Amino acid sequence: MKKTNGRSFKVTCEKGYYVFKLEKLLKENNMSKYSLAKLLNTEYKVINRYSHGNLTKFDSKVIARICNACNCRIEDFLEYVNEEEEMILNNKEKV
């Protein structure tokens, strides 16, 4: 796991990486992880895992509840980047 900036975490996987941006989203919504956990009626550690990318699996119910509570879409707090596609795009931009 690697912190990409003050509010996002990068987690590498097989052919790319995930960027977890929940902390950034919460800051934009003036909400804490604790208040989101209370709002979702879930444990703080679950929200913390989605915040830092310390997950073993994605729970679609938790993701849907986060989206509803923050009035957002999945890509607002969770992004998958395919490294091969990223390299191709970067090479095209250099040309």
Side-chain angles (χ1 to χ4, degrees):
M1 176 175 39
K2 175 183 174 187
K3 198 168 197 175
T4 58
N5 61 38
R7 299 285 172 201
S8 300
F9 291 86
K10 178 179 173 180
V11 179
T12 57
C13 58
E14 191 172 323
K15 291 188 178 184
Y17 57 90
Y18 289 98
V19 180
F20 291 83
K21 305 178 281 187
L22 184 57
E23 285 193 18
K24 179 182 177 197
L25 179 67
L26 292 175
K27 184 175 183 177
E28 290 170 358
N29 286 289
N30 199 28
M31 185 183 291
S32 70
K33 290 185 278 186
Y34 177 78
S35 62
L36 180 61
K38 292 293 255 182
L39 184 64
L40 299 183
N41 195 27
T42 192
E43 294 182 38
Y44 174 84
K45 67 182 181 181
V46 172
I47 301 304
N48 202 44
R49 286 181 185 140
Y50 277 89
S51 174
H52 294 102
N54 296 330
L55 300 169
T56 55
K57 64 179 181 173
F58 296 105
D59 185 331
S60 60
K61 290 180 183 178
V62 172
I63 291 172
R65 292 188 339 222
I66 291 171
C67 289
N68 288 329
C70 295
N71 194 29
C72 70
R73 299 172 56 144
I74 293 172
E75 56 269 20
D76 293 331
F77 69 93
L78 178 61
E79 177 184 359
Y80 175 74
V81 178
N82 181 309
E83 287 183 328
E84 292 174 3
E85 289 178 11
E86 186 178 48
M87 286 175 51
I88 292 169
L89 288 173
N90 287 338
N91 287 336
K92 284 182 180 179
E93 290 174 359
K94 291 178 183 177
V95 175

